[in-house]
Each structure stands twice: as structure tokens, then as C-alpha cells.
Amino acid sequence: MKKKYFIFLVLICVLLLLFYLQEKFFQSENKNQGLSTKNYRIEKKKISGHSMEPLLKDGEEVTVLFDYYHDNPLARNDLVSISFKTQPQKLFVKKLVGLPSDKIEIKEGKIYLNNELLKNSVGETYLISEKGANLLLKPLNNQRIADGYFLVLSETVSLASFDSRYFGYLEKTHILGKVIK
């Protein structure tokens, strides 16, 4: 009887130790990434298309942290998952470039953000059409992005990209989550 009781206690201790170590490991792993997984859904998604190259390649798997921005601030250069009313089932990945109160100017078909020429991650200058310029300049108040709106861009600098140059500023409600490579 004593032997069974002793084995039972040892088993309980081992299980508690394993539980403690697993929790400790999980917390330290998330601290290294600066993330907490308590308040959002995590899904793996595949990139479809070339608009985010070279940051993200066609077919590359990424992790989307849905609802991440309910508890965390949006940050410049975050990769974000977005949706649109016209295509609610389709997710797009873009780079968050402009934040509320940022200054936007258009000069000679180029975008300036806070008095700096806007370039993608490899140093190429973004081009903008007259229609795109109107989309970005009309809603500004003293050349500033309004509260609750964001400038999102792909890595493609050409005029044919589906981003804020095509559809204007994005409301926060259309930003679904943070994308991690």
C-alpha cells in the first residue's frame, strides 16, 4: 500500500513539474517575440501573389495574429492582414506605412510621408497616379491623416498595386491582425 501511495505521489510531482516547465517555456518563448497569445486567434496562411516581394514571397507561409491590435497599438512598418467589404472572405497582406496625424504630400508623382520621400524596403520610390493622389489628398486635414485611418502599401512601387494608392486610407476596422513571417 505504501509503495502504491509513494508511486502515486511521485507521478503527481512529475506531472506538476512538467506543467510548470511547459508554462515557463511557453512564457519565455513569447517574451522573446514580444507577444502574448491570450487575446487573439492564430492562423497559418499562404501568401498568394507577388505584391509584397521581397518581404514576402508567393507561396510563403505566414502567421496571422487575428485581433492582435485590439490590445496592442498599430506600429509603422508592421505587416498587417486586411479585408474589404467588397471581398470579406479574402485576406490581403500590406505594410502599415502611415499613421494618424502623419503628414502626406504628393510631388511630381511621388509620395512624401512626414517630409521624407516614401520608399519600399529595398529603397525604390513609390509612384502614384493622379487618381491615387486625389484619393490620398482629399480626406486630409492640413495634410494630415485623420484619426482612425492608415496608409497601407505593398512592396510594389508601380502604379498597378492594390493598396492605399488604389483604394485610399484604410479604416482600423479593416485591419484584422498582425502578420509574422
Side-chain angles (χ1 to χ4, degrees), residues 111-137:
I111 307 170
Y112 289 80
L113 178 71
N114 298 323
N115 300 317
E116 302 242 346
L117 183 61
L118 198 52
K119 297 180 179 187
N120 69 3
S121 65
V122 293
E124 299 170 324
T125 302
Y126 284 100
L127 304 175
I128 190 163
S129 67
E130 188 175 328
K131 180 182 175 188
N134 287 334
L135 278 171
L136 294 186
L137 293 177

Side-chain angles (χ1 to χ4, degrees), residues 3-93:
K3 187 176 180 180
K4 285 182 183 179
Y5 182 70
F6 178 74
I7 292 172
F8 178 74
L9 284 177
V10 169
L11 183 62
I12 295 292
C13 289
V14 167
L15 287 174
L16 288 173
L17 180 63
L18 287 173
F19 179 75
Y20 172 78
L21 291 174
Q22 183 260 343
E23 284 292 313
K24 200 76 163 156
F25 172 76
F26 184 71
Q27 287 175 356
S28 67
E29 183 179 317
N30 284 338
K31 283 180 186 174
N32 291 339
Q33 295 177 6
L35 302 173
S36 165
T37 59
K38 292 182 180 175
N39 298 320
Y40 45 86
R41 188 175 86 248
I42 300 171
E43 288 184 27
K44 296 279 186 189
K45 298 287 184 182
K46 277 202 178 192
I47 297 298
S48 175
H50 302 277
S51 71
M52 291 303 294
E53 288 182 1
L55 289 178
L56 301 172
K57 299 197 181 339
D58 185 37
E60 182 176 345
E61 189 173 78
V62 296
T63 302
V64 181
L65 308 174
F66 288 97
D67 301 325
Y68 177 80
Y69 295 111
H70 288 194
D71 298 325
N72 297 288
L74 288 150
R76 190 178 321 281
N77 296 319
D78 274 1
L79 297 177
V80 295
S81 177
I82 63 174
S83 73
F84 296 94
K85 291 178 186 175
T86 58
Q87 299 175 336
Q89 70 283 8
K90 189 168 183 179
L91 298 178
F92 297 89
V93 175

